[in-house]
C-alpha cells in the first residue's frame, strides 16, 4: 500500500501537554549511559545556570515520537508500521529540556517521497512550552520498506 | 531505589532549606574552553556495551516498545537477523562522548545522524558499539564546535553523517 503523498505539508494541531519530570530525565539518562550529574542533581544544574535538572540531548525523541504517532496511526496515511525503519534523526535545541517544563508538540509532515521502491517520510516536531517559548525542533525521516 | 528528590549528591552538601543548599552548592564543573580546541582534535573514544537488558531498559525509558528491540522470535519473523538496538539508543549513547568532553550535556545545540546499519544484539554476547569523535570545525564568533562522530558495531558503520554542535565557553 503506497504512502499517501497528500499528507505532505500537513500540520497537526498541538498535542496535549507533556510534563517533563526529573524522574523521567534520570531514567532516560541512565538508559543511554549519560553520567553527567546535571541530569540528576538539581544543585549541579542550578550552579550551571539551569532552572532544574536537564534532559540528555536525545530525550526530546520521547515526545516527538508521540507526535509522530498521529501520522503513523492515521489509516489514511497508509503507513505500515511493521515496515517502518528509522532513517535519520536530528535535533536543534533552543535550550535544554528541563524538569518542570510543560511542552506541547506540533507535528509537520515536511516531505513524502518514493525512492527505490521505498517510501520516505520526513516529519518535524516543534516543541514549545505552553507559553510559546521554542525549546526544540526534532526532525525525523522514516523509511517504509516496499513489498518484496 | 532512590526517590526523585534524594539524588545522592556526591558533593557532601548539607540537606535543608533552599538557602543552605544554595550556600553549599557545588562549583560548576568547568565547561571546555573554546580557546583550547582545534580542528582535528580527537575526542577520547568510547565503547558502549549493549545487551537485551539494556534494550529493555531503554525501551521503558524512551517509551519505544517496538518488539524488534527485545523479542527475538518476532524480530526474526519480520526478516531481521536478530534483535536490533533502537537507533535512538545508539544515537543517545554515542553523544555521551561529546557531552563528557564538553563538560555539560546542556551545551549540545544541534545533533543529527543517519542510521546506516542496525546494531544486531545477540542474546548470548550482546554487542559493542565503538564510538569515536573528531573536531571538524570551530567558529570563534559563536564559540560553537562541530564534532563528527563515528560509530561501528561488528565492523559495520552504524551511524552516518553524525554531527554534534556544542556551544563552549
Amino acid at each position: 500500500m503506497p504512502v499517501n503523498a497528500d499528507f505532505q505539508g500537513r500540520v497537526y494541531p498541538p498535542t496535549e501537554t507533556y510534563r517533563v519530570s526529573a524522574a523521567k530525565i534520570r531514567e532516560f539518562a541512565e538508559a543511554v549511559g549519560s553520567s553527567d550529574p546535571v541530569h540528576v542533581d538539581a544543585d549541579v544544574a542550578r550552579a550551571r545556570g539551569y532552572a532544574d535538572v536537564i534532559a540528555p540531548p536525545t530525550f526530546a525523541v520521547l515526545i516527538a515520537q508521540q507526535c509522530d504517532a498521529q501520522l503513523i496511526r492515521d489509516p489514511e496515511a497508509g503507513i505500515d508500521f511493521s515496515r517502518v525503519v528509522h532513517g535519520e534523526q536530528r535535533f536543534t535545541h533552543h535550550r535544554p529540556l528541563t524538569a518542570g517544563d510543560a511542552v506541547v508538540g506540533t507535528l509537520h509532515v515536511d516531505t513524502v517521497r518514493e525512492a527505490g521502491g521505498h517510501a520516505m517520510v520526513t516529519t518535524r516536531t516543534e516543541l514549545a512550552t505552553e507559553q510559546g517559548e521554542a525549546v526544540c525542533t526534532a526532525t525525523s525521516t522514516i523509511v517504509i520498506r516496499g513489498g518484496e | 531505589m532512590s526517590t526523585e528528590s534524594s539524588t545522592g549528591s556526591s558533593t557532601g552538601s548539607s540537606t535543608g532549606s533552599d538557602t543552605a543548599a544554595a550556600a553549599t552548592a557545588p562549583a560548576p564543573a568547568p565547561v571546555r574552553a573554546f580557546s583550547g580546541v582545534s580542528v582535528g582534535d580527537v575526542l577520547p573514544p568510547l565503547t558502549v556495551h549493549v545487551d537485551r537488558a539494556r534494550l529493555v531498559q531503554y525501551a521503558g525509558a524512551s517509551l519505544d516498545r517496538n518488539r524488534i528491540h527485545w523479542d527475538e522470535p518476532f524480530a526474526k519473523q519480520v526478516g531481521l537477523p536478530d534483535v536490533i538496538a533502537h537507533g535512538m539508543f545508539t544515537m543517545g549513547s554515542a553523544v555521551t562522548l561529546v557531552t563528557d568532553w564538553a563538560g555539560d550535556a546542556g551545551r549540545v545545540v544541534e545533533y543529527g545522524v543517519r542510521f546506516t546499519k542496525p546494531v544486531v544484539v545477540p542474546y548470548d554476547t550482546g554487542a559493542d558499539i565503538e564510538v569515536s569523535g573528531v573536531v571538524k570545525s570551530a567558529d570563534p564568533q559563536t564559540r560553537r564546535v562541530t564534532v563528527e562522530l563515528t560509530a561501528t558495531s561488528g565492523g559495520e558503520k552504524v551511524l552516518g553523517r553524525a554531527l554534534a554542535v556544542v556551544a563552549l565557553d
Side-chain angles (χ1 to χ4, degrees):
Chain A
M1 180 171 60
V3 174
N4 189 343
D6 291 346
F7 275 66
Q8 179 164 310
R10 185 169 292 206
V11 182
Y12 285 77
T15 54
E16 282 180 38
T17 299
Y18 179 89
R19 292 183 192 284
V20 179
S21 74
K24 198 65 185 172
I25 288 175
R26 166 189 283 265
E27 190 185 352
F28 192 93
E30 286 175 351
V32 295
S34 185
S35 58
D36 188 336
V38 77
H39 305 309
V40 296
D41 188 328
D43 289 342
V44 168
R46 289 190 192 105
R48 293 191 200 167
Y50 304 114
D52 202 332
V53 293
I54 61 166
T58 61
F59 181 94
V61 74
L62 189 162
I63 315 170
Q65 284 186 344
Q66 291 179 7
C67 293
D68 282 343
Q70 296 172 98
L71 169 70
I72 289 167
R73 290 190 192 135
D74 188 336
E76 288 183 19
I79 295 173
D80 178 354
F81 187 64
S82 71
R83 294 190 161 276
V84 166
V85 177
H86 201 174
E88 286 184 51
Q89 182 69 42
R90 166 175 302 279
F91 302 95
T92 302
H93 293 288
H94 311 298
R95 67 161 173 80
L97 277 161
T98 306
D101 279 345
V103 295
V104 294
T106 304
L107 177 67
H108 302 250
V109 183
D110 281 348
T111 58
V112 177
R113 62 189 189 279
E114 303 275 339
H118 306 300
M120 297 171 80
V121 178
T122 299
T123 59
R124 170 171 47 93
T125 298
E126 299 288 355
L127 296 179
T129 65
E130 286 178 324
Q131 290 73 37
E133 180 197 3
V135 179
C136 176
T137 303
T139 308
S140 171
T141 299
I142 57 169
V143 180
I144 302 100
R145 294 177 291 140
E148 48 267 22
Chain B
M1 172 145 345
S2 59
T3 63
E4 191 174 328
S5 55
S6 67
T7 52
S9 165
S10 59
T11 58
S13 63
S14 59
T15 55
S17 71
D18 286 344
T19 322
T24 58
V31 170
R32 184 168 293 273
F34 178 86
S35 58
V37 174
S38 305
V39 172
D41 283 357
V42 174
L43 281 63
L46 171 74
T47 300
V48 177
H49 183 70
V50 54
D51 59 14
R52 301 286 175 83
R54 194 81 193 270
L55 292 180
V56 169
Q57 184 184 7
Y58 183 79
S62 68
L63 308 179
D64 181 345
R65 305 188 187 97
N66 192 326
R67 300 179 81 91
I68 61 173
H69 304 305
W70 51 270
D71 183 338
E72 184 172 323
F74 181 86
K76 289 178 171 168
Q77 193 186 313
V78 298
L80 294 166
D82 206 328
V83 160
I84 61 169
H86 305 72
M88 288 307 305
F89 170 80
T90 303
M91 183 181 187
S93 58
V95 80
T96 62
L97 180 87
V98 178
T99 53
D100 286 349
W101 175 79
D104 179 5
R107 298 303 185 100
V108 175
V109 290
E110 279 186 52
Y111 182 35
V113 305
R114 281 184 163 191
F115 301 105
T116 50
K117 289 272 183 188
V119 174
V120 178
V121 183
Y123 175 80
D124 290 337
T125 59
D128 283 336
I129 306 169
E130 308 290 345
V131 188
S132 58
V134 62
V135 175
K136 293 302 281 184
S137 64
D139 180 350
Q141 298 297 315
T142 59
R143 289 194 221 128
R144 288 183 174 196
V145 167
T146 301
V147 175
E148 182 171 47
L149 289 168
T150 302
T152 61
S153 185
E156 301 257 34
K157 207 170 165 183
V158 294
L159 298 180
R161 232 190 266 172
L163 297 170
V165 180
V166 281
L168 300 181
D169 277 348

